[in-house]
């Protein structure tokens, strides 16, 4: 008869609600109240000198000899979305080993000097043309300098951790008219329908280095309609030996015995 | 006397095995998943009430049988998505093992255990216990299992196509590769310089387009016919990997095959990654490129099949909407790239088009002259207007509202002046609108959502239905099934009932659902209460017997 105690317990009202709710499939409930983790554009404080700090951080980045990159780009269209990830090491200016992943795509790029190889989805390496000046920082320097000249407002948010460093956080919305005027890596894939882009920059408090950059925007193609793009780039192991590029073992094996 | 008694025992045990699985999916699981600690306490209470209601001399058998039923039901349902050649040996092992253990422990008649096992096997073959949650409010008219590799795409794509005499559902099915046929078909890969290598890489990752149609009273699955393929929107097939992976389509015999490859070379991805400040622009550009390449490939597929896609009524080119409405020529400059829907937005029975641009929606009235823009709405970076937009009705007036699945999701009503009226803003970031449908027995349209638990603070979403009243959504029902995606209405026969089709995330399963109005949960709760009460009555009587003896 131990259950008697439970029946007479204080929570009897909760049980009643629960049982009635369950029996009738919780009819009449409204959707759940839950906190949001996205923040409003208007939060934070205006930071008029932020572009100076940011340009300085990006220029400092150009001095870094080796680092690791971790990037992800999420594209949401309709109810489905896909995520493209990039991971690898860069030794400025001509050495890198970077892998790319999306669903069943697992491919790599390796370069030392003028020798460049790409690994296709079947695991085979093929020779390709080397890329000049392997470095991600110049693209940020260019963006920030243009934004500074154009006096685009920035807001500073609460400091936060990125990997192992406490960082200052800056947020700015760059209008599409501005971003569309920036040069693009390949004319063949020039975008046509661009929206405003919200950038968030994380700058290390002690070393003043650019650590993480996120973007959020809506773009469109004529046929499919609008889709949302969110990208996240983390730069870490700056000038750390862990970021040293090594020749991939399977590339050595493949080139040693060309008959394979 | 012996035979009817044995038969009665079989019937009782079969009924109980199925009943405990029903109680588990319809009562116990929802309590645990949606009602947090209160739910657990109620489950405990139910278990205690039930346990104490079992007469003493039945206790061992009854509890063994319950555990046996639950374990076997769950186990068979877990392996339901496995391919047949692993499902059969695993299932056999499970059945024999559990049967032997239960027999050894409980000494329930062997034949009784065998028939109970068989009943569970048969029921699970028809519809695995994991899909039973739907049964509280739907008949599962068809349960589809496709071969599928979750590494290729996150869920089965669903495309509903109007054939002119009813609709069919189009999805994909992984091809069980036949080496000989595969090598023979390789000779057909001629479209692009890399077609052959792309084709060969995709071994075992190729999908055939299939259609599901209703024939008389049952459903048939067959390779999609050219006429149906002509009407598919290829976007529906590529959403799960667009734009960094692209799809190819080729014809093989009477089937259309789809396979995927990276959209660019590693070198170009590397080049792109060296300009991370421009990821939005680069991705947008890549999307245009992937989109146009896929469309060119789709067009050549249609040419090969000798079919043409149906002409679209309205098109937008270079910022001008053109088309024909009645006998009037429509010609309107718009800030849009894409026609979303033809409906009634500003007033009931108005003839209007909803068009979408970058973070922008416009409504074009077709009722006068060459048409004109009557309403305009802009999203912001934080409240983006992605193309995850559903159109439907929330009451019985013939006026459409717009469900925007941003975070939070909102319901918008179009107004001709000023900002559009936000009828409802979701109170949590995870709520998703799947659409609004009026089923045959409904008084008002049901707003179908996937939204999180009422009490627990988790983003896990359940398939639910609400009615809109005075700025608030009130729940009609909730099906305790998660991972329900790509929900779309489908009317297999003109004038026939409206079904819902949906795929289950990261599995090769899809369901075709037909709304019913049986009070399943109250019935099962009542039955459970009855069982407990009967048990108590029997126990009370037996105790009396013992005392008087």
């Amino acid at each position: 008869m131990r259950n008697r105690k439970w029946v007479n317990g204080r929570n009897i009202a909760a049980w009643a609600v629960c049982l009635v709710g369950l029996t009738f499939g919780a009819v009449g409930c409204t959707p759940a109240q839950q906190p949001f983790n996205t923040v409003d554009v208007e939060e934070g404080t205006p930071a008029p000198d932020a572009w100076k700090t940011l340009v300085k951080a990006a220029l400092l980045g150009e001095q870094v000899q080796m680092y690791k990159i971790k990037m992800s780009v999420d594209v949401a269209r309709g109810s489905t979305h896909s995520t493209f990830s990039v991971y690898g090491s860069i030794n400025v200016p001509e050495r890198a080993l970077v892998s790319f992943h999306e669903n069943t795509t697992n491919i790599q790029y390796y370069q030392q000097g003028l020798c460049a190889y790409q690994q296709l989805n079947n695991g085979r390496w093929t020779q390709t043309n080397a890329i000049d000046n392997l470095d991600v920082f110049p693209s940020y320097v260019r963006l920030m300098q243009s934004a500074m000249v154009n006096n685009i407002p920035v807001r500073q948010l609460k400091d936060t951790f990125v990997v192992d460093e406490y960082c200052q956080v800056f947020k700015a919305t760059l209008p599409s008219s501005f971003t569309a005027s920036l040069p693009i890596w390949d004319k063949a894939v020039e975008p046509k329908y661009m929206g405003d882009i919200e950038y968030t920059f994380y700058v290390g408090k002690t070393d003043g280095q650019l650590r993480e950059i996120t973007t959020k925007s809506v773009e469109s193609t004529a046929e499919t309609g609008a889709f949302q793009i969110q990208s996240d780039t983390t730069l870490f192991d700056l000038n750390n030996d862990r970021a040293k590029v090594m020749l991939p073992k399977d590339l050595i094996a493949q080139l040693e015995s060309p008959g394979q | 006397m012996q035979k009817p008694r044995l038969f009665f025992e079989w019937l009782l045990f079969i009924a109980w095995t199925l009943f405990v699985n029903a109680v588990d999916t319809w009562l116990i699981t929802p309590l645990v998943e949606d009602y947090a600690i209160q739910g657990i306490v109620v489950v405990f209470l139910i278990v205690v009430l039930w346990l104490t209601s079992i007469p003493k001399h039945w206790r061992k058998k009854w509890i063994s049988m319950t555990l046996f039923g639950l374990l076997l039901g769950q186990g068979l349902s877990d392996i339901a998505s496995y391919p047949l050649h692993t499902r059969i040996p695993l299932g056999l092992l499970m059945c024999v093992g559990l049967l032997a253990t239960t027999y050894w422990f409980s000494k329930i008649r062997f034949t009784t255990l065998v028939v109970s096992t068989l009943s569970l096997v048969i029921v699970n073959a028809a519809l695995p216990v994991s899909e039973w949650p739907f049964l509280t409010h739907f008949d599962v008219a068809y349960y589809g299992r496709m071969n599928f590799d979750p590494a290729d795409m996150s869920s089965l794509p669903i495309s509903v196509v109007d054939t002119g005499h009813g609709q069919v559902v189009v999805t994909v099915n992984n091809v069980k590769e036949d080496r000989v046929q595969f090598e023979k078909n390789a000779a057909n890969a001629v479209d692009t310089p890399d077609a052959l290598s792309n084709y060969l890489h995709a071994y075992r990752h190729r999908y055939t387009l299939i259609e599901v149609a209703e024939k008389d009273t049952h459903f048939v699955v067959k390779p999609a016919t050219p006429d149906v393929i002509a009407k598919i929107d290829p976007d529906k097939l590529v959403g799960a990997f667009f734009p960094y992976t692209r799809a190819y389509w080729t014809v093989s015999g009477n089937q259309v095959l789809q396979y995927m490859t990276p959209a660019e070379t590693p070198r170009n991805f590397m080049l792109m990654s060296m300009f991370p400040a421009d990821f939005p622009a680069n991705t947008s550009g890549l999307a245009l490129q992937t989109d146009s390449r896929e469309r060119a490939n789709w067009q050549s597929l249609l040419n090969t099949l000798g079919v043409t896609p149906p002409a679209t009524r309205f098109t937008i080119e270079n910022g001008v909407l053109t088309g024909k409405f009645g006998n009037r020529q429509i010609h309107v400059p718009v800030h849009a790239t894409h026609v979303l829907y033809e409906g009634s937005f500003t007033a009931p029975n108005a003839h209007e088009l909803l068009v979408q641009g970058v973070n922008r929606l416009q409504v074009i009235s077709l009722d006068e002259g060459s048409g004109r823009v009557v309403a305009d709405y802009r999203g912001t970076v934080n409240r983006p207007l992605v193309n995850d937009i559903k159109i439907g009705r929330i009451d019985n007036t013939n006026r459409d509202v717009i469900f925007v699945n941003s975070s939070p999701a909102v319901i918008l009503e179009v107004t001709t002046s000023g900002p559009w009226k936000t009828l409802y803003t979701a109170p949590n970031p995870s709520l998703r609108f799947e659409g609004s449908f009026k089923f045959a027995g409904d008084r008002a349209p049901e707003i179908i959502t996937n939204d999180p638990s009422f009490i627990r603070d988790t983003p896990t979403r359940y398939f639910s239905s609400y009615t809109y009243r005075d700025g608030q959504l009130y729940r009609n029902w909730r099906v305790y099934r998660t991972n329900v995606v790509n929900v779309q209405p489908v009317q297999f026969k003109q004038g026939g009932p409206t079904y819902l089709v949906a795929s289950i995330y990261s599995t090769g399963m899809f369901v075709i659902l037909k709304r019913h109005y049986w009070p399943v949960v109250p019935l099962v709760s009542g039955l459970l209460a009855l069982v407990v009460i009967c048990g108590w009555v029997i126990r009370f009587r037996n105790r009396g017997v013992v005392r008087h003896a």
Side-chain angles (χ1 to χ4, degrees), chain B residues 330-354:
Chain B
I330 301 296
H331 183 98
V332 193
V334 289
H335 290 281
T337 54
H338 195 58
V339 178
L340 276 184
Y341 196 82
E342 194 177 340
S344 309
F345 295 97
T346 58
N349 303 319
H351 297 97
E352 288 160 336
L353 281 186
L354 182 69

Short mmCIF file of all heavy atoms in Angstrom, two decimals, chain B residues 330-354:
data_model
loop_
_atom_site.label_atom_id
_atom_site.label_comp_id
_atom_site.label_asym_id
_atom_site.label_seq_id
_atom_site.Cartn_x
_atom_site.Cartn_y
_atom_site.Cartn_z
N ILE B 330 -0.22 40.51 -67.99
CA ILE B 330 0.31 41.07 -66.74
C ILE B 330 1.74 41.51 -66.98
O ILE B 330 2.55 40.78 -67.56
CB ILE B 330 0.25 40.04 -65.61
CG1 ILE B 330 -1.19 39.55 -65.35
CG2 ILE B 330 0.87 40.59 -64.32
CD1 ILE B 330 -2.13 40.62 -64.87
N HIS B 331 2.06 42.73 -66.54
CA HIS B 331 3.41 43.27 -66.74
C HIS B 331 3.67 44.25 -65.59
O HIS B 331 3.16 45.36 -65.59
CB HIS B 331 3.49 43.97 -68.11
CG HIS B 331 4.87 44.49 -68.41
ND1 HIS B 331 5.75 43.79 -69.20
CD2 HIS B 331 5.52 45.61 -68.01
CE1 HIS B 331 6.89 44.47 -69.28
NE2 HIS B 331 6.77 45.58 -68.56
N VAL B 332 4.45 43.80 -64.59
CA VAL B 332 4.67 44.64 -63.40
C VAL B 332 6.15 44.64 -63.03
O VAL B 332 6.75 43.57 -62.88
CB VAL B 332 3.89 44.10 -62.17
CG1 VAL B 332 3.87 45.14 -61.06
CG2 VAL B 332 2.51 43.66 -62.52
N PRO B 333 6.78 45.80 -62.87
CA PRO B 333 8.14 45.82 -62.33
C PRO B 333 8.10 45.45 -60.84
O PRO B 333 7.27 45.96 -60.10
CB PRO B 333 8.57 47.29 -62.49
CG PRO B 333 7.55 47.92 -63.37
CD PRO B 333 6.28 47.14 -63.20
N VAL B 334 8.97 44.51 -60.43
CA VAL B 334 8.97 44.05 -59.03
C VAL B 334 10.39 43.99 -58.48
O VAL B 334 11.36 43.94 -59.25
CB VAL B 334 8.34 42.63 -58.90
CG1 VAL B 334 6.86 42.67 -59.13
CG2 VAL B 334 9.02 41.65 -59.85
N HIS B 335 10.52 44.00 -57.16
CA HIS B 335 11.81 43.77 -56.50
C HIS B 335 11.84 42.31 -56.06
O HIS B 335 11.77 42.02 -54.88
CB HIS B 335 11.99 44.69 -55.31
CG HIS B 335 12.18 46.11 -55.69
ND1 HIS B 335 13.39 46.60 -56.15
CD2 HIS B 335 11.32 47.15 -55.71
CE1 HIS B 335 13.26 47.88 -56.42
NE2 HIS B 335 12.02 48.25 -56.17
N ALA B 336 11.89 41.42 -57.00
CA ALA B 336 11.78 40.00 -56.65
C ALA B 336 12.43 39.15 -57.72
O ALA B 336 12.68 39.61 -58.83
CB ALA B 336 10.31 39.62 -56.48
N THR B 337 12.73 37.90 -57.35
CA THR B 337 13.37 36.99 -58.28
C THR B 337 12.53 35.74 -58.53
O THR B 337 12.84 34.96 -59.41
CB THR B 337 14.73 36.52 -57.73
OG1 THR B 337 14.54 35.96 -56.43
CG2 THR B 337 15.72 37.67 -57.65
N HIS B 338 11.47 35.55 -57.75
CA HIS B 338 10.87 34.23 -57.66
C HIS B 338 9.39 34.36 -57.32
O HIS B 338 9.02 35.11 -56.41
CB HIS B 338 11.59 33.51 -56.52
CG HIS B 338 11.38 32.05 -56.48
ND1 HIS B 338 11.70 31.24 -57.52
CD2 HIS B 338 10.88 31.24 -55.51
CE1 HIS B 338 11.42 29.98 -57.20
NE2 HIS B 338 10.91 29.97 -55.99
N VAL B 339 8.52 33.65 -58.04
CA VAL B 339 7.10 33.65 -57.71
C VAL B 339 6.84 32.54 -56.68
O VAL B 339 7.21 31.39 -56.90
CB VAL B 339 6.22 33.39 -58.96
CG1 VAL B 339 4.75 33.35 -58.57
CG2 VAL B 339 6.47 34.45 -60.00
N LEU B 340 6.24 32.91 -55.53
CA LEU B 340 6.03 31.92 -54.49
C LEU B 340 4.66 31.26 -54.56
O LEU B 340 4.54 30.05 -54.41
CB LEU B 340 6.15 32.59 -53.10
CG LEU B 340 7.53 32.75 -52.50
CD1 LEU B 340 7.40 33.33 -51.10
CD2 LEU B 340 8.27 31.43 -52.43
N TYR B 341 3.62 32.06 -54.75
CA TYR B 341 2.27 31.50 -54.55
C TYR B 341 1.23 32.39 -55.21
O TYR B 341 1.38 33.60 -55.28
CB TYR B 341 2.02 31.43 -53.05
CG TYR B 341 0.86 30.56 -52.63
CD1 TYR B 341 1.02 29.19 -52.52
CD2 TYR B 341 -0.38 31.12 -52.35
CE1 TYR B 341 -0.04 28.38 -52.13
CE2 TYR B 341 -1.45 30.32 -51.95
CZ TYR B 341 -1.27 28.95 -51.84
OH TYR B 341 -2.31 28.15 -51.45
N GLU B 342 0.16 31.76 -55.69
CA GLU B 342 -0.98 32.50 -56.22
C GLU B 342 -2.13 32.32 -55.25
O GLU B 342 -2.54 31.19 -55.00
CB GLU B 342 -1.34 31.95 -57.61
CG GLU B 342 -2.27 32.84 -58.38
CD GLU B 342 -2.54 32.30 -59.79
OE1 GLU B 342 -1.75 31.47 -60.29
OE2 GLU B 342 -3.56 32.71 -60.36
N GLY B 343 -2.61 33.41 -54.65
CA GLY B 343 -3.65 33.27 -53.63
C GLY B 343 -4.36 34.58 -53.36
O GLY B 343 -4.35 35.48 -54.20
N SER B 344 -4.98 34.65 -52.17
CA SER B 344 -5.72 35.86 -51.78
C SER B 344 -5.12 36.38 -50.48
O SER B 344 -5.34 35.80 -49.43
CB SER B 344 -7.20 35.53 -51.55
OG SER B 344 -7.71 34.83 -52.66
N PHE B 345 -4.36 37.48 -50.58
CA PHE B 345 -3.61 37.92 -49.42
C PHE B 345 -4.19 39.17 -48.75
O PHE B 345 -4.27 39.25 -47.54
CB PHE B 345 -2.15 38.17 -49.80
CG PHE B 345 -1.44 36.92 -50.20
CD1 PHE B 345 -1.31 36.57 -51.53
CD2 PHE B 345 -0.94 36.06 -49.23
CE1 PHE B 345 -0.68 35.39 -51.90
CE2 PHE B 345 -0.30 34.89 -49.58
CZ PHE B 345 -0.16 34.55 -50.92
N THR B 346 -4.60 40.18 -49.55
CA THR B 346 -5.05 41.42 -48.92
C THR B 346 -6.53 41.35 -48.55
O THR B 346 -6.98 42.05 -47.65
CB THR B 346 -4.83 42.63 -49.85
OG1 THR B 346 -5.54 42.39 -51.07
CG2 THR B 346 -3.35 42.81 -50.15
N ALA B 347 -7.30 40.52 -49.23
CA ALA B 347 -8.72 40.40 -48.94
C ALA B 347 -9.19 39.04 -49.41
O ALA B 347 -8.58 38.46 -50.31
CB ALA B 347 -9.50 41.50 -49.67
N PRO B 348 -10.28 38.50 -48.80
CA PRO B 348 -10.79 37.22 -49.25
C PRO B 348 -11.13 37.27 -50.74
O PRO B 348 -11.63 38.28 -51.23
CB PRO B 348 -12.05 37.02 -48.41
CG PRO B 348 -11.85 37.87 -47.21
CD PRO B 348 -11.04 39.04 -47.66
N ASN B 349 -10.81 36.18 -51.44
CA ASN B 349 -11.14 36.02 -52.85
C ASN B 349 -10.44 36.97 -53.81
O ASN B 349 -10.78 37.03 -54.99
CB ASN B 349 -12.66 36.10 -53.08
CG ASN B 349 -13.39 35.07 -52.23
OD1 ASN B 349 -12.93 33.93 -52.12
ND2 ASN B 349 -14.48 35.48 -51.60
N ALA B 350 -9.47 37.74 -53.31
CA ALA B 350 -8.69 38.58 -54.23
C ALA B 350 -7.76 37.67 -55.04
O ALA B 350 -7.38 36.60 -54.57
CB ALA B 350 -7.88 39.59 -53.44
N HIS B 351 -7.42 38.08 -56.25
CA HIS B 351 -6.49 37.30 -57.07
C HIS B 351 -5.12 37.96 -57.02
O HIS B 351 -4.93 39.02 -57.61
CB HIS B 351 -7.00 37.18 -58.50
CG HIS B 351 -8.29 36.46 -58.59
ND1 HIS B 351 -9.50 37.11 -58.66
CD2 HIS B 351 -8.57 35.13 -58.56
CE1 HIS B 351 -10.46 36.21 -58.69
NE2 HIS B 351 -9.93 35.00 -58.63
N GLU B 352 -4.21 37.35 -56.29
CA GLU B 352 -2.93 37.99 -56.04
C GLU B 352 -1.77 37.00 -56.13
O GLU B 352 -1.95 35.80 -55.96
CB GLU B 352 -2.94 38.66 -54.66
CG GLU B 352 -3.81 39.90 -54.63
CD GLU B 352 -4.24 40.28 -53.21
OE1 GLU B 352 -4.28 39.42 -52.33
OE2 GLU B 352 -4.53 41.47 -53.01
N LEU B 353 -0.59 37.55 -56.38
CA LEU B 353 0.63 36.75 -56.42
C LEU B 353 1.54 37.19 -55.29
O LEU B 353 1.67 38.38 -55.03
CB LEU B 353 1.39 36.98 -57.73
CG LEU B 353 0.94 36.31 -59.00
CD1 LEU B 353 1.97 36.61 -60.09
CD2 LEU B 353 0.82 34.81 -58.81
N LEU B 354 2.21 36.22 -54.63
CA LEU B 354 3.23 36.55 -53.65
C LEU B 354 4.58 36.26 -54.32
O LEU B 354 4.83 35.16 -54.80
CB LEU B 354 3.06 35.69 -52.40
CG LEU B 354 4.05 35.97 -51.27
CD1 LEU B 354 3.78 37.33 -50.65
CD2 LEU B 354 3.94 34.90 -50.19
#
